[in-house]
Amino acid sequence: MLIYQIAVLLSLLAFFAILLRNLIDLRLMPANPSCTGPLVSVLVPARNEALNIERCVRSLLMQDYAAFEILVLDDGSTDATPQLLQTLLDESGGRLRVLQGEPLPDGWHGKAWACLQLSRQAKGDLLLFTDADTKHEPDALRRSVAALNSEKGDMLSLTPRQELGSLWEELVVPLVYVILLCYLPLRLVRTSRNPAFCFANGQFILFRREFYDRINGHTAVRQALAEDIGLCREVKRAGGRVVAFNGFDAVSCRMYRSFRDIWEGFSKNLYASLGYSTPGLFLLMTLTAAFYIAPYLFFFYALIAGKFTMLLFWLPLTQMVIALLSRVIIARLFGQSTAMVFLNLFSQLILIAIAWNSFWIIQSGRGARWKGRNYNFS
């Protein structure tokens, strides 16, 4: 038991050390760079995005970068997205182009197919793939181009500010950044050629066109539901340089709006992001339980039984404090609620449930469901 408790404590301290290093490495983009540069094609796939598309496109039209075009692909929307796009098109002064998506071919997931179609129509030397649920500050494009150039990158991605409007969003969505900042040394994303050290966020990915074409674009990730990570791996395998920045002050995103969206969205991505590795998924579930759930069980048992020993009370309490301190630091970094951090136990329980569902929907043959489509590429 002592060895177990010490192992958990040392692991949490290692994660905390990775977090502290990542706070240094995950820098903000340059604040006031020049706005000159090559043409950038801003590419937005949109399927049933009536709640988001106006805000996204209007924020993109307000960019202060000198040379850019905006292409939005309507991927068979059945809501008001086409009508809203027509209104935006009429108001855009020629800066916006709206494309109609072609039918989804077998062996492709919807977003990759939409992005490939957009890239074929793009004229820019730089390609920015961004989601329809994002909002961009006027200097976001200018700063991201400057950051890509200053780091001599071939692919750039950001960590946007996640807009959290409901209790479920507050509980689950911040875990994305907990996993990123506590488990992955971000310096190695930039400096190591090993594809195992990958980060990309599909909400904002900026490519050099020549390198996008070199990896065969989204064709290379046509079956990867976590296509952003897949693109990062392809770039690194091709010898490219991937850079990441804190995009909190440049881009925001309302990723999900309900528990159902959270459940389906994370279930779609979690198992896929691990390459459908069953041992990897169950290891994640086991470690999550050991690091973030078991300490509470020991702690509350000690309180109820009145056994304030090192093994049952003080070591678990120390583990809980380190985990919560990590969450507080991340919450403050990205403007999230620090009060919700103290519900970390419930967040981690939901994560395990999502992980199990992510496994079950694939292994049962049901497939991951998103925006009215089912996928099973395992």
Side-chain angles (χ1 to χ4, degrees):
M1 178 68 74
L2 178 62
I3 293 175
Y4 166 81
Q5 295 288 23
I6 291 176
V8 169
L9 178 60
L10 292 177
S11 297
L12 288 168
L13 286 171
F15 298 154
F16 189 71
I18 292 172
L19 169 61
L20 294 181
R21 178 67 215 192
N22 282 339
L23 296 179
I24 298 172
D25 293 330
L26 190 66
R27 297 165 292 157
L28 293 170
M29 294 185 296
N32 294 296
S34 167
C35 62
T36 60
L39 177 67
V40 180
S41 295
V42 182
L43 309 176
V44 186
R47 178 175 171 84
N48 294 336
E49 293 286 358
L51 292 175
N52 301 308
I53 195 64
E54 280 191 285
R55 186 183 76 151
C56 176
V57 173
R58 292 188 191 283
S59 72
L60 290 169
L61 288 168
M62 293 296 292
Q63 293 302 299
D64 60 14
Y65 185 73
F68 70 97
E69 62 172 357
I70 303 170
L71 284 72
V72 180
L73 184 135
D74 175 26
D75 185 18
S77 297
T78 57
D79 63 1
T81 299
Q83 293 78 19
L84 294 170
L85 285 173
Q86 184 58 52
T87 299
L88 291 164
L89 186 63
D90 295 339
E91 298 174 0
S92 69
R95 182 80 82 172
L96 171 66
R97 283 193 283 158
V98 176
L99 310 178
Q100 297 303 313
E102 300 173 13
L104 182 65
D106 291 338
W108 284 77
H109 74 85
K111 183 177 179 182
W113 176 237
C115 288
L116 181 70
Q117 294 174 77
L118 285 162
S119 71
R120 288 172 173 172
Q121 298 297 319
K123 300 175 181 177
D125 294 323
L126 299 178
L127 305 178
L128 171 60
F129 296 95
T130 189
D131 286 351
D133 52 9
T134 56
K135 177 178 179 292
H136 303 250
E137 296 301 317
D139 61 357
L141 189 54
R142 173 168 53 90
R143 293 173 63 198
S144 61
V145 171
L148 182 73
N149 289 333
S150 67
E151 292 293 318
K152 297 180 173 57
D154 300 296
M155 172 183 172
L156 173 146
S157 194
L158 302 180
T159 54
R161 179 173 64 86
Q162 301 300 330
E163 301 174 38
L164 308 173
S166 68
L167 173 64
W168 296 113
E169 291 168 82
E170 295 270 12
L171 281 173
V172 181
V173 174
L175 293 181
V176 173
Y177 288 158
V178 174
I179 293 171
L180 170 67
L181 293 177
C182 292
Y183 297 168
L184 177 63
L186 289 174
R187 171 178 286 269
L188 297 180
V189 173
R190 185 177 72 253
T191 62
S192 172
R193 297 197 173 211
N194 189 338
F197 298 108
C198 273
F199 161 74
N201 187 324
Q203 295 164 1
F204 192 105
I205 296 179
L206 181 64
F207 264 107
R208 294 196 188 277
R209 178 60 179 262
E210 61 175 310
F211 218 91
Y212 178 79
D213 291 340
R214 186 186 303 180
I215 66 169
N216 208 17
H218 279 80
T219 303
V221 293
R222 61 188 177 276
Q223 293 188 348
L225 294 179
E227 89 291 336
D228 43 12
I229 302 298
L231 288 168
C232 179
R233 290 189 180 122
E234 293 299 321
V235 169
K236 298 191 82 169
R237 285 175 182 143
R241 182 174 172 84
V242 180
V243 294
F245 284 85
N246 183 348
F248 167 80
D249 61 344
V251 182
S252 61
C253 180
R254 182 77 184 271
M255 191 187 305
Y256 303 119
R257 293 177 179 268
S258 67
F259 178 75
R260 179 178 179 179
D261 287 347
I262 291 170
W263 185 257
E264 289 188 350
F266 278 98
S267 294
K268 170 178 70 75
N269 289 329
L270 188 54
Y271 194 23
S273 68
L274 295 172
Y276 297 106
S277 168
T278 298
L281 185 72
F282 278 88
L283 178 62
L284 173 65
M285 295 168 65
T286 301
L287 295 180
T288 298
F291 297 148
Y292 304 113
I293 296 173
Y296 285 89
L297 300 180
F298 287 113
F299 178 77
F300 287 119
Y301 172 77
L303 287 180
I304 294 169
K307 297 181 178 180
F308 299 101
T309 64
M310 181 65 70
L311 287 178
L312 295 178
F313 182 82
W314 291 109
L315 282 174
L317 177 61
T318 305
Q319 295 160 6
M320 290 160 55
V321 168
I322 294 170
L324 291 176
L325 180 58
S326 299
R327 291 283 322 258
V328 167
I329 291 172
I330 294 169
R332 291 181 65 84
L333 180 65
F334 292 108
Q336 299 162 357
S337 168
T338 53
M340 295 300 296
V341 164
F342 295 94
L343 296 178
N344 187 48
L345 171 62
F346 301 101
S347 299
Q348 301 293 343
L349 287 169
I350 296 170
L351 177 62
I352 289 178
I354 289 172
W356 172 255
N357 187 60
S358 184
F359 170 78
W360 180 80
I361 60 177
I362 298 301
Q363 294 299 326
S364 68
R366 174 185 163 192
R369 183 169 180 81
W370 189 243
K371 293 186 180 292
R373 291 168 171 158
N374 274 71
Y375 305 105
N376 192 344
F377 298 129
S378 63

